[in-house]
Amino acid sequence: MVRTLLKEVKEYKFVSIITPLFMILEVLMEMLIPFLMASIIDDGVNAGNIQHIYKVGGIMIVAAVVGLFAGMAGGKFGAKASAGFAKNLREAMFNHIQTFSFSNIDKYSTAGLVTRLTTDVTNIQNAYQMVLRMFTRAPASLICAMIMAFRINARLSNIYLIAVLLLGTILVLIMSHVTRYFQQAFPKYDELNASVQENVSAVRVVKAYVREEQETNKFKKASENIYRIFVKAECNLVYNAPLMQLTVYSCILLISWIGAKMIVATTLTTGELMSLLAYCMNILMSLMMMSMVFVMVSMSTASIRRISEVLNETSDLKNPENPLLEVEDGSIEFSHVYFSYKKDSEEPVLKDINLKIRSGETIGIIGGTGSAKTSLVNLVSRLYDVTEGEILVGGHNVKDYDMEALRNQVSVVLQNNVLFSGSILDNLRWGDKEATEEECRNACVLACADEFIQRFPDGYQTHIEQGGSNVSGGQKQRLCIARALLKKPKILILDDSTSAVDTATDAKIRRAFREEIPDTTKLIIAQRISSVQDADRIIVMEEGKINGFGTHEELVANNEIYREVYESQTQGGGDFDEKAGE
């Protein structure tokens, strides 16, 4: 896992290497100062040698300045390395997510991916900075202080050694308990973010149904779950600081008591005792810093696992070695196609689908909710791969095409229409980034969107709010259709994309398609018979199978399901999910 993440250090390797070097230099200067201070006391103050005091004092000043410079440089480069590492991690995750197939995306919640890109990356950034600085500085300070202390007096230094071993054991025990709680905490962040995202995106529905109190309670529950886990973790960590303080002052008392006796016995000087006390503080402060690093690393362990999971996720869809880059025409053929969203599913979603569609045909697709209409059309642009069988587009298996080339020739207007913040033109140019304003207007005329755009004060420069919240459902659908048309595709798929449009406008759109893009194959999923009855042929779906395939007249005469729905809708309303007479 760690190796996967460290690949993203990239251009920040140099600053990641020199940061620990500066921290070690700072430690060396710090370790030198108590030693020099002992010399000033023993050989300068006690001996009355003012020249020695000046000389050693000057060296101390130089050591302090070098240590200050090293500490500042280490802080600066450490911040640059950790922030750059976090930037690369976010970019790597975001770019990798763009390669996911729909089946890969289905494994993660939107809130979970947002948490990984924000909270988890921030945890790793903080841990990385602490590892580069504190985790280098603390062990180096501990080792140097121990060496200097043993050099001065090995007998007294054994006190440090015992303290280090005792505290190290306690620290390991505390961290083993704390890590478990942190691993539980971050999935709870996903739940919290999901609650916020759902509430904000559906705020109009929340207010319309006066559900503010229920949503507030749901958020409160998610927040309290995180609170409880972190309280449990902190209840374990709370022992850390008191134990450290107890050990520090116990060491100081023991060294002072034993050291005083040794001074009286002339086996230790006053300066050496002061140095030992300084080194005592250095050793135990190093342990404190190491405990902080372990806490941060424990918190980030769960984040490392979650981010590695995303980075190591491989797309189910891959381009062939020598992909086809051109789609000859819009012909489509399904040959014994079976499809399941999960490989271990007992019941496939699509079962033995066989059909041939000629290039330029308009094909209506109709069926009840859950009959796998959307699943059928998603396979055409290879948003998913078939479980069995094959799909041919333009006479070639969809797996033989470069996926980008295939999808550029298959425009899909999905059920959930999405617009992005920006002008209407910005949104339309998702279909063709080089499209002129005139081309955008022509596409909007075909989609019957131009008529309402012209009524806006700013016309095609009208700003669209995030998610298209400032336009109606029907307007959003028509803009999405226009965006798809700008791709000039060989195959156009409308997945119930005129459900929010009145029947008159729906008829205009279908007539425009028939007259203006006759060579484009059009697949139209709909619930209204009126939306598909003038199609060249109509597919009737039922429970993942093709129940009927023919013209409107043929299906009315020969297909019981189609005839019942047609009669239901022409005799006073109803949709495909309502049986005639009910």
Side-chain angles (χ1 to χ4, degrees), residues 86-95 117-118 121-122 125:
K87 173 182 74 72
N88 287 348
L89 267 183
R90 289 190 187 96
E91 287 180 359
M93 286 179 67
F94 186 83
N95 292 337
L117 283 162
T118 52
V121 171
T122 300
Q125 177 182 346

Side-chain angles (χ1 to χ4, degrees), residues 11 66 73 236 249 276 279 302 339 356 382 503 567 569 581:
E11 69 270 29
V66 173
N236 282 271
Y249 292 118
L276 284 170
Y279 288 131
F339 171 69
K356 290 184 179 181
R382 208 187 168 199
T503 52
E567 291 173 353
Q569 292 187 7

Side-chain angles (χ1 to χ4, degrees), residues 23 41 52 60 76 127 159 195 198 218 350 416 458 461:
M23 301 315 298
I41 292 171
H52 184 78
M60 285 179 67
K76 176 184 175 182
I159 296 172
S195 176
E198 190 174 52
K218 186 166 72 172
L350 291 170
N416 299 320
D458 297 325
Q461 297 300 329

Side-chain angles (χ1 to χ4, degrees), residues 184-201:
Q184 296 171 10
F186 293 105
K188 300 297 181 183
Y189 273 117
D190 292 351
E191 294 177 14
L192 185 72
N193 285 342
S195 176
V196 173
Q197 181 189 17
E198 190 174 52
N199 182 274
V200 172
S201 61

Side-chain angles (χ1 to χ4, degrees), residues 39 41 69 212 252 348 358 464 505 578:
S39 177
I41 292 171
F69 168 76
E212 291 92 343
I252 290 172
R358 295 183 294 274
I464 299 293
T505 303
E578 297 175 4

Side-chain angles (χ1 to χ4, degrees), residues 150-167:
F150 271 93
R151 187 177 181 278
I152 292 170
N153 191 288
R155 180 185 169 190
L156 282 177
S157 298
N158 283 323
I159 296 172
Y160 303 146
L161 190 59
I162 294 168
V164 168
L165 293 174
L166 178 64
L167 284 176

Side-chain angles (χ1 to χ4, degrees), residues 206-354:
V206 172
K207 292 187 177 298
Y209 284 88
V210 196
R211 294 279 298 182
E212 291 92 343
E213 185 177 350
Q214 288 85 346
E215 288 296 305
T216 301
N217 289 336
K218 186 166 72 172
F219 177 83
K220 184 179 180 182
K221 183 180 178 181
S223 183
E224 284 178 349
N225 286 335
I226 297 174
Y227 162 79
R228 280 194 295 269
I229 291 173
F230 274 101
V231 165
K232 288 178 182 178
E234 292 297 334
C235 284
N236 282 271
L237 286 174
V238 76
Y239 297 107
N240 190 41
L243 284 169
M244 289 287 181
Q245 294 294 334
L246 177 64
T247 307
V248 167
Y249 292 118
S250 297
C251 286
I252 290 172
L253 286 171
L254 282 170
I255 291 169
S256 299
W257 180 49
I258 298 171
K261 287 185 175 183
M262 295 177 73
I263 290 173
V264 172
T266 67
T267 57
L268 187 74
T269 67
T270 305
E272 289 174 336
L273 179 59
M274 289 189 65
S275 295
L276 284 170
L277 289 171
Y279 288 131
C280 172
M281 291 302 297
N282 276 323
I283 289 169
L284 298 173
M285 286 303 295
S286 296
L287 283 173
M288 287 284 284
M289 284 191 288
M290 287 176 69
S291 71
M292 291 171 58
V293 173
F294 279 120
V295 170
M296 185 56 69
V297 169
S298 297
M299 288 180 64
S300 65
T301 300
S303 296
I304 289 171
R305 184 177 294 106
R306 284 157 56 82
I307 290 176
S308 296
E309 186 182 11
V310 174
L311 291 176
N312 290 328
E313 178 80 22
T314 56
S315 176
D316 295 338
L317 306 180
K318 291 182 174 62
N319 277 331
E321 288 186 10
N322 299 301
L324 297 172
L325 301 176
E326 286 291 331
V327 179
E328 292 182 12
D329 57 43
S331 62
I332 303 168
E333 181 179 349
F334 284 70
S335 177
H336 299 290
V337 168
Y338 288 81
F339 171 69
S340 298
Y341 285 101
K342 293 183 179 179
K343 294 179 181 178
D344 56 353
S345 297
E346 294 182 4
E347 185 74 12
V349 176
L350 291 170
K351 307 158 193 172
D352 198 22
I353 303 297
N354 292 281

